[in-house]
Amino acid sequence: METPAPAGTSSRALKSMPVAPSASSASSASSLASAFFQGPRPLYLGAALSRIVLLLYGLWQDANSPVKYTDIDYLVFTDAARFVARGQSPYARETYRYTPVLAWLLLPTAYQTGSPFWDAVCFNSGKVLFAAADLVAGWLLERVLTMGRGDARPMDAPTARRFAAIWLLNPMVATISTRGSSEGLLGVLVMALLWAVMARRVTLAGLLLGFGVHFKIYPFIYAPAIVWWMDRERMAGSGAVAPAKLPNRIMKLITPARIRLAVVSLVTFLGLNIIMFGIYGAPFLTHTYLHHVTRIDHRHNFSPYNTQLYLASAFPGLPALRIESVAFLPQLTLACVIIPFVVAKKDLPTAMLAQTFAFATFNKVCTSQYFLWYMILLPLYLPSSSFLVNKKLGISALALWVASQGLWLQQGYKLEFLGQSTFLPDLWLASLGFFLVNCWILGIIISDVSVKPGVL
């Protein structure tokens, strides 16, 4: 209730009366935020500007600091592109473990003009591509947020932009892409795949799934969740999942939409692989796929397997240490079987988030780039999550995630920059702490969906 002004107070005096600073500032901040998200231009300009600033800062740091801003992976990508530009294989570059498509996309980085300025522009054009991919992924994220799902009403555009800002204005996302990581391209592929599935564009979804798995292996984990979500009732457009007896459920597993998705994605994946194998031969299969089965990277690795991988690399002759070859078993059981079956039909976007979170958490190699794999899906889950309903829980989860990651980085800094042997017990305990925090967060994500009504 408003307090009435004293009798005899003029309108001019009323206008000059002081307003409570807290109420005024809160109202101004709220109005500013509403205006910022009312239209798309401020959000996307702000996201683009932040990346431009980081790109320019990166050039300065690379030129003036012994610690380089540019990620080592970007040097691998661009070296591979130079080999391709000379008519050679990208795998002539040692440690290039990616599809040739990535090297092809970065061919402009290999151009030499004779001008130092334009040579620098060409070399850094790949970072611009990755930063632009961040914006496209954010735009697709906004589209998915406004689609609505299940019994939830579609989100209005300003609110969708608020949640998309978690990705678009995230400093970690912007830093990783402008340092030269290609994860933004994965964000585009995953968001485009989810949009196509929810829009019932099955052929497009199959093409994106097949290409996504070829580009970076991990999107194959989404196939079980998508297939399980694509039941006959939902693909018919009713949006309802009717109960059925067991024999009828088994018969309903085979549907035209599921068959088409499987055929199109498989043909796309195999077709691309046949083309690449025809051009580059066995090194393509070895470096793009087979390498990951026995991969023992232990640098910049947050995984609890980190110390084990270090020992395996130090003592390659001891078969008892070859745990890395079977580390994928618990990972794939959780990400490809349990989570899709329990979560997918109730909430496909959250199922994909939980799958990605589990895949990264339980992977034998987990670097900071992997966090972007699930960050692109996080805004789809947050609106109705326990982390927003219970603010203390949300703040606690974020604080623990950041703190446990910071603790690991402290130990990693001592190891790599100060030369201190922190592998045991410090680095391993920090890895285990980060792993346990991630498991706790994953449990909350799954429990949020498990309480929703739905029929398996």
Side-chain angles (χ1 to χ4, degrees):
M1 179 179 295
E2 295 182 0
T3 303
T9 304
S10 66
S11 59
R12 179 176 297 179
L14 281 172
K15 292 179 181 178
S16 64
M17 289 177 66
V19 180
S22 59
S24 175
S25 59
S27 177
S28 300
S30 177
S31 299
L32 184 61
S34 298
F36 185 82
F37 293 110
Q38 194 62 38
R41 185 173 298 177
L43 173 61
Y44 290 95
L45 283 178
L49 182 61
S50 67
R51 285 159 175 80
I52 291 171
V53 170
L54 286 171
L55 284 168
L56 294 176
Y57 168 77
L59 295 176
W60 179 87
Q61 181 173 325
D62 285 345
N64 295 278
S65 173
V67 179
K68 303 304 180 185
Y69 183 83
T70 300
D71 194 290
I72 186 64
D73 285 346
Y74 189 71
L75 303 181
V76 174
F77 300 159
T78 52
D79 285 348
R82 276 193 287 274
F83 280 113
V84 172
R86 298 170 191 159
Q88 299 174 267
S89 168
Y91 304 106
R93 203 305 181 180
E94 188 178 359
T95 73
Y96 183 78
R97 314 292 189 188
Y98 312 90
T99 171
V101 173
L102 180 58
W104 295 355
L105 289 173
L106 297 180
L107 278 175
T109 65
Y111 293 164
Q112 294 291 319
T113 65
S115 165
F117 173 80
W118 289 111
D119 285 349
V121 170
C122 291
F123 176 76
N124 289 282
S125 62
K127 297 178 185 178
V128 176
L129 172 65
F130 300 151
D134 282 352
L135 304 186
V136 176
W139 178 81
L140 288 167
L141 174 58
E142 182 187 340
R143 303 278 78 73
V144 174
L145 282 165
T146 56
M147 291 177 73
R149 57 183 188 265
D151 56 357
R153 296 177 61 185
M155 188 179 292
D156 62 89
T159 304
R161 282 190 280 272
R162 287 175 183 266
F163 283 100
I166 296 172
W167 168 268
L168 288 166
L169 300 182
N170 191 314
M172 177 181 284
V173 175
T175 300
I176 288 176
S177 63
T178 54
R179 291 187 66 212
S181 173
S182 62
E183 305 308 326
L185 296 176
L186 267 297
V188 173
L189 289 173
V190 170
M191 274 298 103
L193 170 62
L194 179 56
W195 176 87
V197 171
M198 296 184 67
R200 278 70 170 178
R201 307 283 284 272
V202 179
T203 300
L204 177 60
L207 290 170
L208 290 167
L209 180 60
F211 181 76
V213 176
H214 170 81
F215 193 86
K216 193 90 167 184
I217 302 173
Y218 88 88
F220 82 89
I221 65 175
Y222 302 135
I226 292 171
V227 169
W228 191 233
W229 183 86
M230 280 183 168
D231 55 50
R232 193 178 302 273
E233 293 83 1
R234 184 174 281 110
M235 297 310 293
S238 66
V241 182
K245 295 181 179 180
L246 183 59
N248 291 333
R249 287 183 180 182
I250 294 174
M251 293 301 296
K252 286 183 177 182
L253 289 177
I254 302 174
T255 66
R258 285 168 170 163
I259 293 173
R260 195 189 330 162
L261 179 79
V263 170
V264 173
S265 59
L266 187 61
V267 168
T268 302
F269 176 72
L270 291 178
L272 286 168
N273 287 341
I274 290 171
I275 292 171
M276 299 305 168
F277 182 79
I279 298 173
Y280 298 110
F284 159 70
L285 293 179
T286 300
H287 295 288
T288 305
Y289 299 114
L290 301 180
H291 160 75
H292 297 280
V293 178
T294 57
R295 182 181 181 188
I296 55 174
D297 297 357
H298 58 84
R299 292 172 65 85
H300 317 294
N301 184 1
F302 289 87
S303 170
Y305 292 106
N306 182 17
T307 302
Q308 186 72 36
L309 295 178
Y310 170 73
L311 293 174
S313 65
F315 305 103
L318 297 179
L321 297 175
R322 307 304 293 183
I323 193 173
E324 71 276 0
S325 297
V326 295
F328 62 88
L329 291 176
Q331 174 192 30
L332 296 186
T333 300
L334 184 60
C336 296
V337 180
I338 297 175
I339 292 175
F341 184 76
V342 173
V343 180
K345 282 198 176 184
K346 297 179 179 180
D347 191 334
L348 179 60
T350 300
M352 292 173 64
L353 167 66
Q355 286 180 281
T356 314
F357 203 96
F359 188 86
T361 298
F362 284 81
N363 199 36
K364 64 184 177 183
V365 177
C366 179
T367 66
S368 57
Q369 287 92 331
Y370 289 24
F371 304 157
L372 270 62
W373 294 1
Y374 53 78
M375 278 186 182
I376 185 64
L377 294 158
L378 185 62
L380 299 170
Y381 154 74
L382 281 178
S384 59
S385 71
S386 295
F387 296 117
L388 285 192
V389 173
N390 185 344
K391 297 295 192 298
K392 290 183 179 179
L393 177 65
I395 294 172
S396 298
L398 178 61
L400 283 173
W401 188 80
V402 172
S404 59
Q405 187 180 156
L407 180 62
W408 188 97
L409 291 171
Q410 179 193 35
Q411 299 303 318
Y413 175 80
K414 289 180 179 180
L415 175 67
E416 296 198 14
F417 288 91
L418 302 182
Q420 300 177 15
S421 180
T422 61
F423 274 109
L424 287 172
D426 298 341
L427 190 66
W428 182 76
L429 289 176
S431 298
L432 188 60
F434 185 61
F435 173 77
L436 293 175
V437 168
N438 280 308
C439 288
W440 173 63
I441 294 173
L442 177 61
I444 294 173
I445 294 171
I446 295 175
S447 65
D448 275 351
V449 183
S450 63
V451 298
K452 293 183 179 180
V455 178
L456 295 177

